[in-house]
Amino acid sequence: MAALAVPLLLPVLTATQHTSATIPGISAYTVTAGFPTSAFPTYWEAPVETQEPQPALYDPVLNITFPLNLTNPETIPTTDNDPIYYPQPLANISNSSTAALLQAAYTNITGIIESNTTASNCTKCMAALNVGKTVAQYAPESVPDLLVKLCEAFQFSSNATCVDNYAAGSFGAIWTQVLALADVTGLDGRYICNDLSSTFCPAPATSPLNVTGLFPKPKPKNACAPKASGKRVKVLHLSDFHLDPRYSAASEANCSAGLCCRTNVHATGDAVGQVTVPAPLYGSFKCDTPYYLGLAALQAIAPLTGTHGNSSVAWTVYTGDLVSHDSQNQLSRAYTEYAEVSVYDLFKEYIGSPVFPVLGNHDSNPEAIDAPHSLPGPLGQQFSWNYNHVASLWQQNGWINSTTANEARLHYGAYSVLNQYGLRIITLNTDFWYRSNFLNYINTSNPDVSGMLNFLIQELQAAEDAKERVWILGHVLAGWDGSNPLPNPTNLFYQIVDRYSPHVIANIFFGHTHEDQVMIYYANNGTVQTSENALTSGWIGPSVTPLTNLNSGFRMYEVDTGSFEIYEAYTWFSNVSSFPHLNVSKTGPTYQFEYSTREAYNISWPEASPLDAKYWQAVTEAMETDFSLVEKFNTFQGKSSVLTPNCTSAACAKAKICYIRSGSAVLGRQCPQGYGSVQSAFDPPST
């Protein structure tokens, strides 16, 4: 645990300066035409009206300037040449023995898949995994080619997707580690098979959790949050920037597959190079954030939030994901490092105040993969390159000190820091409960293989002892509809939140979905969902990227400096559907006020009461009798996008209320499914 060493510029406003009838800055801000060339010191290709810039980025940690061909839209790579890690083989076998082993494995797996026995798909899948395990243990470097061959032979995906998914340089070597180290005929195997297809194995039930001895001390009796000080500061919440330096204006914005607004994609029925819907300079619904849009959002923050000069934002939380949604064969360590340098540099220049970032699932390579230190040999350190890099960048930007940077290197990019107002901020690497981190399928019965949640417990206990208030920051949300996280780790997280709320944990923040959402954490596993049991809120921040079918947005909170509760939350957006119609020689896009959380739902809520879990419980209770409030929430979820589907049915309304009340995957999966995301039409299961 370390205190933040930064100059103490402490802007505060009294509780009476802002009433619920006001907004903090101007209502809308239109960005000036052109690109602010001062954003970067030098360029490979300077910005012009018809194309994105290519800054010549210098990495002060690696002491390199990233080459133009890394991000040039005309030279998008198709292979990833980063180091590949395999498990140590149990024995050295000859080439001929390897060939025989591979042939036998292919024959056995084919026989299992094609057999007409009465065995269930789940039994067959785990039997096939067990054959693969032998290959992974004795000939690990041969596993990716075997996986690609099997995928193509049984048409699990297109041939191109089979290569993208299982080639050694994508996820093939990761799956090799999983096969070699997981219990493929037990719980691990059921998780793996369910991940491959829900028709192979059903989702495993949540494992029993024994909390005996989990916490260093029992929860204090009558634990309650401290009183408010009456002084408030402005805190910015940014999420999911997803910078796309390979964005190409006038390329295809409505492509048939992959990330659009790239030179290497096309619309259905067209060839590469043909364009049906030209990509606007500032972005589009199926594309990530071009430099022009990212800079527009950053320029809009100060005038909209009213944080000019000495009234600057007190601090910023950034809930992860810097890198664009490329297919794995187009990604690399260097591309990840480029995004980290570029976006953090922009934050430092345009925000100014301390930024507290977390790593998102896209802030790694391979994407979404992080390895627990407990894996054998070098496998446990295979992602240290990234933790070392971001920790050094955060320290150089003055956001954390050297002690905290060393902590981040050790804890997978996570850290605990006391900020300049006395709030403790604890960040987590939530890849360790993300279902797409395939290394989580090793030892699934242990909800904390990485030790990440033990780190959280120790930090929360120290904060309780010191009478500190805490914000927890992560990326992948712990609950909602339960589609993103794994049940066992998020079940444990829920118990941790219960133990240290409401007296220690003031708020929790996530990103990942790109949507504007919220969750409520209750006492006793949410078995009784009432105001008396509502403990803590989990705020999911809106994304800067429009992907997919969303507007671009961000949020600011007004926070009391005594209780560190939120008393107001303002959200802004830019209408992506207007971007094709901009005359970019005369104007950029407009960011505008969307809503005030305190005012939006028309509930009777005392002005002196925070927007805490009890507030959100009251909102959901109002929603139960007035479904129009759910439709309003649904509109905000997509940041007022014209492509957001309507939520006007009783089924949709009930599902949304259930998601808001679900802070873990366990709870979320008990809700009606099919209404979780607004990025496409709702798809509830047929009855």
Side-chain angles (χ1 to χ4, degrees):
M1 294 169 57
L4 178 69
V6 296
L8 292 183
L9 177 62
L10 309 181
V12 297
L13 47 124
T14 66
T16 58
Q17 276 181 275
H18 278 313
T19 69
S20 61
T22 65
I23 57 175
I26 61 176
S27 61
Y29 177 78
T30 299
V31 178
T32 303
F35 188 87
T37 54
S38 62
F40 299 101
T42 57
Y43 291 83
W44 294 116
E45 295 180 0
V48 294
E49 278 184 13
T50 56
Q51 199 51 268
E52 296 296 308
Q54 289 293 327
L57 279 188
Y58 173 72
D59 187 325
V61 175
L62 302 177
N63 193 27
I64 62 169
T65 297
F66 293 104
L68 174 60
N69 63 7
L70 178 67
T71 56
N72 188 338
E74 305 298 331
T75 59
I76 298 174
T78 56
T79 56
D80 177 357
N81 296 316
D82 286 340
I84 296 171
Y85 293 86
Y86 290 105
Q88 184 71 25
L90 296 182
N92 293 322
I93 61 176
S94 65
N95 290 341
S96 59
S97 296
T98 298
L101 177 63
L102 289 171
Q103 183 56 51
Y106 183 81
T107 301
N108 288 343
I109 293 172
T110 298
I112 291 168
I113 295 173
E114 294 180 339
S115 67
N116 293 320
T117 66
T118 57
S120 68
N121 282 350
C122 192
T123 300
K124 287 183 178 182
C125 179
M126 289 194 291
L129 292 179
N130 203 32
V131 175
K133 184 179 185 72
T134 301
V135 182
Q137 289 177 325
Y138 288 92
E141 294 187 16
S142 300
V143 170
D145 287 344
L146 175 63
L147 295 176
V148 172
K149 183 178 179 181
L150 288 165
C151 179
E152 292 176 345
F154 291 97
Q155 297 182 328
F156 291 140
S157 301
S158 68
N159 286 0
T161 301
C162 287
V163 173
D164 286 346
N165 287 345
Y166 299 114
S170 57
F171 298 105
I174 299 299
W175 278 117
T176 305
Q177 297 175 39
V178 174
L179 287 170
L181 300 171
D183 177 10
V184 297
T185 59
L187 182 63
D188 294 349
R190 292 196 292 277
Y191 269 106
I192 295 166
C193 289
N194 176 257
D195 179 84
L196 294 173
S197 173
S198 60
T199 66
F200 292 168
C201 284
T206 307
S207 301
L209 179 63
N210 182 4
V211 297
T212 303
L214 179 64
F215 301 111
K217 297 178 182 179
K219 187 173 184 175
K221 293 182 179 180
N222 303 315
C224 59
K227 292 183 179 179
S229 69
K231 294 182 179 180
R232 299 180 191 171
V233 292
K234 296 177 178 180
V235 178
L236 184 66
H237 185 178
L238 294 175
S239 197
D240 294 85
F241 204 89
H242 287 292
L243 174 69
D244 186 3
R246 296 167 175 166
Y247 186 101
S248 182
S251 63
E252 182 55 59
N254 189 33
C255 62
S256 56
L259 183 62
C260 300
C261 303
R262 293 288 190 85
T263 58
N264 60 343
V265 296
H266 57 87
T268 302
D270 288 350
V272 173
Q274 291 182 296
V275 175
T276 302
V277 180
L281 186 66
Y282 286 92
S284 191
F285 285 118
K286 293 185 177 181
C287 312
D288 268 328
T289 305
Y291 267 117
Y292 269 93
L293 178 61
L295 268 294
L298 293 173
Q299 290 175 88
I301 289 170
L304 291 175
T305 60
T307 52
H308 300 278
N310 292 332
S311 184
S312 64
V313 168
W315 70 89
T316 296
V317 296
Y318 181 71
T319 46
D321 270 4
L322 306 164
V323 184
S324 56
H325 291 78
D326 293 60
S327 60
Q328 185 55 49
N329 65 337
Q330 298 173 5
L331 295 171
S332 62
R333 287 187 183 184
Y335 191 66
T336 302
E337 291 161 341
Y338 174 100
E340 291 167 349
V341 171
S342 181
V343 179
Y344 292 149
D345 278 358
L346 291 173
F347 286 176
K348 182 180 180 182
E349 179 174 351
Y350 281 88
I351 299 172
S353 62
V355 178
F356 299 104
V358 302
L359 289 177
N361 59 295
H362 284 272
D363 304 330
S364 183
N365 192 62
E367 183 264 323
I369 309 298
D370 277 284
H373 296 323
S374 57
L375 293 187
L379 301 184
Q381 301 298 324
Q382 60 190 302
F383 294 95
S384 292
W385 61 271
N386 197 30
Y387 314 140
N388 293 336
H389 189 246
V390 293
S392 296
L393 290 175
W394 298 337
Q395 181 184 348
Q396 289 204 13
N397 282 349
W399 302 337
I400 60 175
N401 62 24
S402 60
T403 301
T404 307
N406 286 333
E407 183 178 59
R409 293 183 182 99
L410 175 63
H411 293 292
Y412 317 99
Y415 55 90
S416 172
V417 63
L418 195 69
N419 82 353
Q420 71 271 41
Y421 289 87
L423 171 70
R424 181 156 298 281
I425 294 173
I426 305 174
T427 72
L428 301 175
N429 185 332
T430 55
D431 276 356
F432 290 107
W433 67 46
Y434 186 36
R435 61 176 299 170
S436 295
N437 180 7
F438 307 129
L439 295 178
N440 287 336
Y441 297 133
I442 300 170
N443 197 7
T444 51
S445 61
N446 183 346
D448 190 27
V449 174
S450 67
M452 177 66 56
L453 295 176
N454 182 62
F455 164 73
L456 176 62
I457 291 171
Q458 299 306 315
E459 291 297 322
L460 287 170
Q461 185 59 59
E464 181 180 81
D465 293 344
K467 295 181 169 48
E468 295 170 347
R469 291 286 272 168
V470 169
W471 281 11
I472 297 174
L473 314 183
H475 177 67
V476 178
L477 65 175
W480 189 248
D481 64 353
S483 61
N484 284 286
L486 293 169
N488 290 344
T490 57
N491 184 33
L492 174 55
F493 179 71
Y494 204 102
Q495 312 317 310
I496 296 169
V497 173
D498 185 346
R499 162 63 184 84
Y500 292 99
S501 297
H503 59 301
V504 178
I505 301 171
N507 284 287
I508 305 170
F509 302 88
F510 297 111
H512 184 63
T513 65
H514 301 184
E515 301 176 20
D516 182 348
Q517 299 158 309
V518 73
M519 300 178 299
I520 304 168
Y521 291 85
Y522 300 89
N524 302 316
N525 260 349
T527 50
V528 180
Q529 297 179 342
T530 62
S531 179
E532 291 73 21
N533 288 317
L535 296 176
T536 307
S537 300
W539 301 77
I540 296 98
S543 66
V544 175
T545 183
L547 196 73
T548 302
N549 294 334
L550 304 169
N551 283 329
S552 173
F554 56 87
R555 178 180 291 136
M556 188 200 75
Y557 306 104
E558 289 186 358
V559 178
D560 184 89
T561 58
S563 66
F564 294 101
E565 297 277 14
I566 292 169
Y567 279 79
E568 183 56 282
Y570 301 102
T571 305
W572 295 268
F573 75 100
S574 187
N575 184 2
V576 174
S577 64
S578 71
F579 292 178
H581 312 294
L582 293 174
N583 183 344
V584 296
S585 64
K586 294 183 178 180
T587 185
T590 298
Y591 276 83
Q592 59 189 292
F593 177 73
E594 185 181 26
Y595 74 103
S596 148
T597 300
R598 183 173 286 275
E599 291 184 342
Y601 298 103
N602 300 317
I603 66 169
S604 178
W605 195 249
E607 198 69 33
S609 296
L611 305 180
D612 56 7
K614 296 182 186 301
Y615 168 81
W616 284 111
Q617 176 65 21
V619 170
T620 60
E621 290 172 358
M623 287 176 170
E624 288 176 316
T625 59
D626 183 358
F627 287 170
S628 70
L629 297 179
V630 181
E631 173 63 11
K632 181 177 287 190
F633 181 95
N634 185 77
T635 297
F636 296 152
Q637 191 176 335
K639 291 163 281 182
S640 298
S641 169
V642 296
L643 298 181
T644 294
N646 292 326
C647 181
T648 53
S649 69
C652 180
K654 291 175 181 178
K656 295 278 186 182
I657 294 168
C658 189
Y659 301 155
I660 295 171
R661 293 174 173 176
S662 298
S664 70
V666 181
L667 294 174
R669 293 181 185 185
Q670 296 172 13
C671 297
Q673 296 296 297
Y675 299 98
S677 173
V678 297
Q679 296 177 38
S680 59
F682 295 134
D683 186 27
S686 56
T687 56

